[in-house]
């Protein structure tokens, strides 16, 4: 076993986080995890095939100096953006409609068009009572009336509506409060949800418990910034600053993909001797899965040290991680270990496994998984159909996609329609995708922006920009609220239309006038376009705006920014100090990029300091 472990290069120490020291015991080959009363084990070699060893007992320490930060307050931008350039000219004469006219939200009704996807793999912490239970039709009507009364109003007017509601003698039950909060959060109206929640506390409609403060942390991080959520935690009364508050802050850091802050919170929880269970460890695995897969092994070692047992999600994350790395053999071993520990892969996990088989070129193995998904149809038929539509489209199996859609067509759900549009789009069958969209328009009185975005994505991928413009206009005319995911697709559509300035303009309006936090990928897509042009000025502006929205502490952003300087052939002064200020450490590829811009600096010095040569001043007659 140890020969197998030594076969690969051992993990490098992660000085940027841990100051980590560890010695592994040869007796300790098992990594364990936990979820409630369910127990499971997963050997470390299932996840990682190489590690240094010693005969000493296992030791693992995790420490970080929370107070020591390397921020350089005087460190400015290499190219200072002018304030007058912050808003890009939005009067573009390109025939594309202005999106700022879109309403923030529709009236809330009983339509199932109000479906919002859950955030990728991140289990939502529950801060409120179950909103779906025990709500009478009378209370349901009152709740909808209150929601609709402040859906279309400015954020600043929410407290006035609530005050009048109370003055009219109305009272809110726990069920109504829960329903309103859940509805606002589903629509990502975090500003209004925060104001509503704060009003509940100030008006003593609810008790100021640790749960109340945890909800505030969650909403502040989403409606404002992660930094403000951190400051809020600092000011929470000591009696309420416990496990739930820090777990919520950790989740907010993970959602923001801010590794430095997440690690600081994780260490603070350990310092305060707060419980570190499988849910906390899963959050860190989610973070590292996205940003630094090598660090996942560090969390597994902590789980081993503290005898934390595996959850279903732990296995699912590790399986997906190995699949993304195209380590199919290890992925399969993890699946077997999962089954041994009593966790049967669900349809979603089978979908993940099949996708990695397809991307790895193992089509026959993927087909075997397809059969297993089909056998699960009786359990969760809609979920199975959605998975199979997209998987068969990835294989180019038009016939199978047609068969599955025929099964759905008589009475499809909204999710099945969206999956069918995406599947037909992957296959280049635009007319079939349009037919499904038309079916949705006929079946439901109102559909939301996500459904429009699914067809817009098909038009974008198939270079049908004229049709895309017409669909955007149709979306604007409906007055649908546009969520961050839809804005992301719109941004990429405008980029594909070779109108980066328009994409930048609408994203700024979405962010500043709609009180919405755009997706990381939306900023990156625009930033990359400016960098390709060598437009240092606008790339720096995007960099600044991303920091304002909490997207800092990531090497990816600096990689794009330095590329802008390289393409512009300009020196980037103080770049290393800027990275150090955010605790970012370059990899090998980035060091080469830094060397390129350093060369530009030397050229500037040479031009200004080379010796005077009179011959260069004499013109040959």
């Amino acid at each position: 076993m140890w020969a197998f472990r030594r076969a690969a290069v051992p993990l490098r120490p992660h000085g940027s986080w841990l100051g980590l020291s560890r010695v592994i015991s040869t007796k300790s080959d098992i990594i364990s995890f936990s979820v409630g009363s369910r127990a499971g084990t997963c050997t470390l070699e299932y996840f990682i095939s190489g590690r240094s060893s010693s005969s000493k007992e296992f030791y693992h320490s995790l420490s970080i100096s929370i107070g020591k930060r390397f921020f350089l307050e005087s460190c400015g931008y290499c190219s200072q953006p002018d304030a007058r350039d912050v808003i890009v000219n939005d009067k573009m004469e390109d025939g594309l409609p202005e999106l700022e006219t879109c309403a923030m939200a529709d009236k809330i009704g009983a339509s199932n068009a109000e479906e919002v996807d859950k955030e990728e793999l991140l289990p939502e912490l529950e801060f409120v009572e179950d909103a779906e239970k025990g709500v009478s039709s009378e209370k349901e009507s009152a709740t909808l009336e209150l929601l609709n009364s402040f859906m279309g109003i400015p954020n600043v007017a929410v407290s006035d509506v609530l005050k009048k509601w109370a003055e009219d003698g109305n009272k809110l039950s726990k069920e109504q409060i829960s329903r309103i909060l859940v509805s606002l959060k589903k629509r990502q109206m975090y500003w209004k949800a925060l104001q509503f929640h704060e009003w509940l506390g100030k008006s003593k409609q609810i008790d100021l418990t640790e749960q109340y403060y945890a909800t505030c942390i969650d909403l502040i991080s989403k409606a404002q910034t992660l930094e403000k959520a951190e400051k809020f935690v600092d000011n929470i009364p000591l009696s309420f600053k416990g496990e739930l508050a820090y777990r919520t802050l950790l989740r907010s850091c993970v959602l923001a993909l801010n590794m430095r802050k997440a690690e600081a919170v994780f260490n603070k929880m350990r310092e305060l001797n707060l419980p570190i269970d499988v849910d906390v460890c899963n959050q860190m695995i989610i973070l590292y899965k996205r940003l630094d897969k090598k660090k996942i092994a560090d969390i597994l070692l902590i789980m081993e040290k503290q005898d934390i047992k595996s959850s279903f999600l732990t296995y699912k994350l590790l399986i997906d991680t190995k699949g993304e790395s195209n380590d199919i053999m290890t992925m399969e071993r993890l699946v077997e270990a999962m089954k041994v520990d009593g966790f049967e892969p669900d349809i979603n996990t089978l979908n993940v496994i099949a996708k990695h088989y397809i991307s790895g070129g193992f089509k026959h193995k993927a087909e075997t998984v397809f059969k297993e998904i089909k056998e699960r149809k009786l359990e969760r038929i809609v979920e199975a159909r959605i998975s199979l539509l997209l998987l068969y489209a990835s294989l180019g199996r038009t016939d199978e996609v047609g068969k599955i859609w025929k099964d759905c067509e008589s009475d499809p759900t909204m999710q099945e329609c969206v999956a069918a549009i995406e599947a037909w789009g992957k296959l280049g069958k635009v007319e079939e995708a349009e037919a499904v969209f038309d079916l949705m328009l006929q079946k439901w009185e109102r559909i939301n922006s996500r459904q429009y975005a699914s067809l817009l994505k098909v038009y974008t991928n198939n270079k049908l920009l004229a049709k895309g413009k017409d669909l955007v206009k149709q979306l604007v005319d409906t007055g649908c609220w546009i969520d961050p995911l839809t804005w992301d697709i719109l941004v990429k559509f405008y980029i594909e239309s070779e109108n980066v300035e328009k994409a930048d303009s609408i994203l700024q309006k979405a962010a500043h006038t709609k009180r919405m936090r755009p997706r990381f990928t939306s900023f990156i897509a625009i930033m990359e376009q400016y960098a390709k042009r060598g437009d240092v000025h606008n790339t720096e502006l995007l960099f600044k705006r991303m920091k304002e929205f909490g997207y800092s502490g990531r090497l990816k952003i600096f990689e794009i920014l330095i590329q802008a300087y390289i393409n512009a052939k300009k020196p980037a002064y103080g770049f290393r100090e800027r990275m150090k200020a955010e605790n970012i450490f370059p990899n090998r590829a980035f060091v080469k990029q830094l060397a390129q811009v350093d060369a530009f600096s030397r050229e500037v010095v040479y031009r200004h300091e080379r010796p005077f040569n009179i011959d260069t001043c004499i013109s040959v007659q």
Side-chain angles (χ1 to χ4, degrees):
M1 180 178 292
W2 283 105
F4 174 68
R5 289 190 180 184
R6 293 190 187 102
V9 179
L11 290 180
R12 59 177 174 80
H14 304 294
S16 62
W17 167 32
L18 309 172
L20 175 68
S21 62
R22 58 174 175 254
V23 181
I24 314 298
S25 168
T26 55
K27 298 175 183 179
S28 181
D29 290 336
I30 302 295
I31 297 299
S32 14
F33 331 71
S34 101
V35 52
S37 60
R38 300 205 58 181
T41 58
C42 173
T43 57
L44 180 59
E45 65 180 273
Y46 281 147
F47 180 72
I48 181 137
S49 57
R51 182 168 296 283
S52 58
S53 62
S54 170
S55 59
K56 297 182 182 180
E57 288 299 312
F58 172 86
Y59 175 73
H60 182 224
S61 65
L62 193 61
S63 63
I64 189 168
S65 177
I66 305 297
K68 292 182 180 178
R69 302 241 168 101
F70 297 96
F71 296 113
L72 304 178
E73 297 297 338
S74 61
C75 182
Y77 294 108
C78 303
S79 173
Q80 292 289 351
D82 193 338
R84 67 177 178 271
D85 293 325
V86 172
I87 301 297
V88 182
N89 179 22
D90 57 6
K91 302 298 183 182
M92 307 300 298
E93 295 181 0
D94 59 358
L96 295 175
E98 294 296 332
L99 292 170
E100 67 272 17
T101 58
C102 292
M104 279 293 291
D106 297 320
K107 293 287 184 180
I108 296 177
S111 170
N112 62 352
E114 305 288 349
E115 296 164 341
V116 177
D117 294 341
K118 294 180 180 178
E119 291 152 339
E120 181 187 1
L121 290 179
L122 287 169
E124 180 81 33
L125 293 177
E126 293 299 331
F127 306 121
V128 295
E129 302 288 337
D130 191 337
E132 304 300 328
K133 295 180 181 178
V135 182
S136 67
S137 58
E138 184 179 343
K139 286 183 178 180
E140 173 79 6
S141 177
T143 304
L144 289 174
E145 181 185 345
L146 177 58
L147 269 170
N148 285 328
S149 67
F150 60 73
M151 268 302 149
I153 63 173
N155 291 317
V156 293
V158 171
S159 58
D160 295 333
V161 170
L162 292 167
K163 184 179 178 181
K164 186 177 185 305
W165 170 270
E167 288 174 350
D168 291 342
N170 296 305
K171 291 184 179 180
L172 291 169
S173 66
K174 287 183 179 181
E175 292 83 4
Q176 288 174 300
I177 290 171
S178 298
R179 183 62 183 271
I180 291 170
L181 278 175
V182 169
S183 295
L184 291 173
K185 287 176 71 176
K186 278 185 176 180
R187 290 161 181 79
Q188 300 183 35
M189 295 182 177
Y190 300 122
W191 274 93
K192 288 180 179 177
L194 177 59
Q195 287 189 305
F196 173 64
H197 190 66
E198 288 178 339
W199 176 83
L200 292 171
K202 290 175 183 177
S203 62
K204 302 189 185 303
Q205 295 268 347
I206 57 176
D207 296 329
L208 301 183
T209 61
E210 186 176 4
Q211 190 180 51
Y212 169 83
Y213 287 109
T215 305
C216 287
I217 296 166
D218 178 56
L219 293 174
I220 290 170
S221 68
K222 290 174 179 174
Q224 298 176 8
T225 63
L226 192 55
E227 287 72 20
K228 289 186 177 180
E230 288 180 300
K231 289 178 181 177
F232 181 83
V233 172
D234 291 338
N235 295 322
I236 291 176
L238 191 59
S239 58
F240 298 122
K241 196 186 297 186
E243 178 188 356
L244 185 56
Y246 280 105
R247 287 166 71 98
T248 307
L249 182 60
L250 176 64
R251 183 180 184 277
S252 297
C253 294
V254 172
L255 279 171
L257 291 180
N258 192 314
M259 189 159 66
R260 178 176 58 83
K261 290 184 183 294
E263 289 170 342
V265 175
F266 184 81
N267 280 282
K268 186 68 175 178
M269 293 179 71
R270 298 187 66 183
E271 180 186 317
L272 297 172
N273 292 318
L274 296 173
I276 303 294
D277 61 11
V278 70
D279 294 327
V280 172
C281 292
N282 282 343
Q283 292 293 326
M284 297 304 294
I285 292 173
I286 289 166
L287 179 74
Y288 292 143
K289 178 177 176 289
R290 296 286 297 276
L291 301 180
D292 191 347
K293 290 181 173 64
K294 291 181 179 179
K295 285 190 176 184
I296 293 176
D298 297 328
I299 298 301
L300 297 180
L301 287 170
I302 292 173
M303 296 169 83
E304 176 187 30
K305 175 75 172 178
Q306 299 188 11
D307 194 27
I308 300 172
K309 300 186 188 296
S310 65
S311 70
F312 178 83
L313 178 59
T314 311
Y315 276 108
K316 184 176 177 181
L317 291 169
L318 297 181
I319 288 167
D320 196 25
T321 300
K322 283 302 176 184
E324 288 174 346
S325 302
N326 203 28
D327 187 352
I328 301 300
M329 182 181 295
T330 307
M331 181 188 79
E332 290 174 335
R333 295 175 68 190
L334 281 164
V335 173
E336 290 305 313
M338 180 184 195
K339 292 177 179 178
V340 168
D341 284 339
F343 300 114
E344 191 66 27
D346 62 3
I347 290 176
N348 187 268
T349 306
L350 291 172
N351 181 58
V352 169
I353 295 167
K355 283 196 296 186
H356 292 313
Y357 276 144
I358 293 169
S359 62
F362 298 93
K363 293 185 179 180
H364 292 299
K365 290 188 175 185
E367 294 278 4
T368 302
V369 180
F370 292 178
K371 291 177 182 177
E372 192 170 349
I373 293 174
K374 287 178 181 178
E375 291 172 1
R376 302 284 189 88
K377 268 189 176 184
L378 295 177
E379 300 172 20
R380 305 190 68 173
I381 188 167
V382 172
E383 193 175 346
R385 284 172 173 173
I386 291 170
S387 293
L388 291 170
L389 279 167
L390 298 174
L391 289 171
Y392 276 123
S394 297
L395 284 176
R397 297 285 298 275
T398 305
D399 54 339
E400 291 293 340
V401 171
K403 288 178 185 177
I404 297 165
W405 174 242
K406 189 173 182 180
D407 290 340
C408 307
E409 197 171 8
S410 60
D411 187 24
T413 65
M414 187 72 76
Q415 298 101 316
E416 287 171 330
C417 288
V418 171
I421 290 172
E422 186 178 339
W424 288 125
K426 282 184 178 181
L427 294 166
K429 302 288 185 179
V430 177
E431 290 184 4
E432 285 82 350
E434 290 173 331
V436 178
F437 184 78
D438 290 339
L439 176 63
M440 282 198 297
L441 293 176
Q442 295 169 14
K443 183 175 175 62
W444 290 283
E445 182 180 345
R446 182 188 306 148
I447 63 175
N448 64 31
S449 62
R450 289 280 182 97
Q451 282 72 58
Y452 281 93
S454 63
L455 184 58
L456 181 62
K457 191 174 180 180
V458 172
Y459 287 150
T460 304
N461 293 340
N462 287 277
K463 313 293 184 185
L464 298 172
L465 302 181
K467 285 191 172 186
K469 291 177 183 179
D470 292 338
L471 186 67
V472 171
K473 185 177 185 304
Q474 187 178 342
L475 169 60
V476 172
D477 292 341
T478 64
C480 289
W481 172 63
I482 302 178
D483 69 355
L485 180 59
T486 306
W487 283 114
D488 187 60
I489 294 172
L490 286 165
V491 162
K492 289 167 185 175
F493 169 74
Y494 284 117
I495 289 173
E496 193 65 36
S497 303
E498 298 183 353
N499 197 334
V500 180
E501 288 76 12
K502 182 67 177 180
D504 193 358
S505 176
I506 66 164
L507 191 65
Q508 289 186 59
K509 289 173 181 174
H512 294 290
T513 66
K514 306 303 182 187
R515 295 289 189 179
M516 182 200 72
R517 185 174 186 256
R519 290 167 67 93
F520 178 75
T521 51
S522 300
F523 281 116
I524 290 296
I526 299 172
M527 196 176 179
E528 285 178 334
Q529 295 302 311
Y530 284 138
K532 284 180 185 177
R533 296 178 179 179
D535 187 342
V536 171
H537 186 73
N538 278 314
T539 309
E540 284 281 9
L541 282 172
L542 264 294
F543 181 91
K544 179 182 177 183
R545 283 161 54 199
M546 291 183 77
K547 288 190 68 175
E548 290 171 352
F549 282 97
Y551 292 123
S552 58
R554 307 185 196 189
L555 181 61
K556 175 70 174 178
I557 305 173
F558 281 98
E559 287 174 337
I560 298 172
L561 183 59
I562 199 74
Q563 192 59 49
Y565 282 93
I566 292 170
N567 292 341
K569 295 182 172 21
K570 289 183 178 180
Y573 301 110
F575 215 89
R576 289 174 176 81
E577 289 75 14
R578 292 172 69 176
M579 295 180 68
K580 187 177 179 181
E582 296 193 27
N583 206 23
I584 300 295
F585 296 87
N587 54 26
R588 287 185 180 181
F590 195 85
V591 169
K592 291 181 181 178
Q593 289 180 303
L594 283 172
Q596 285 183 270
V597 293
D598 286 344
F600 300 143
S601 301
R602 288 193 292 272
E603 287 176 11
V604 171
V605 172
Y606 175 75
R607 286 198 302 269
H608 287 283
E609 296 185 1
R610 62 182 175 174
F612 175 75
N613 186 346
I614 193 170
D615 293 337
T616 62
C617 300
I618 300 174
S619 59
V620 178
Q621 298 297 326

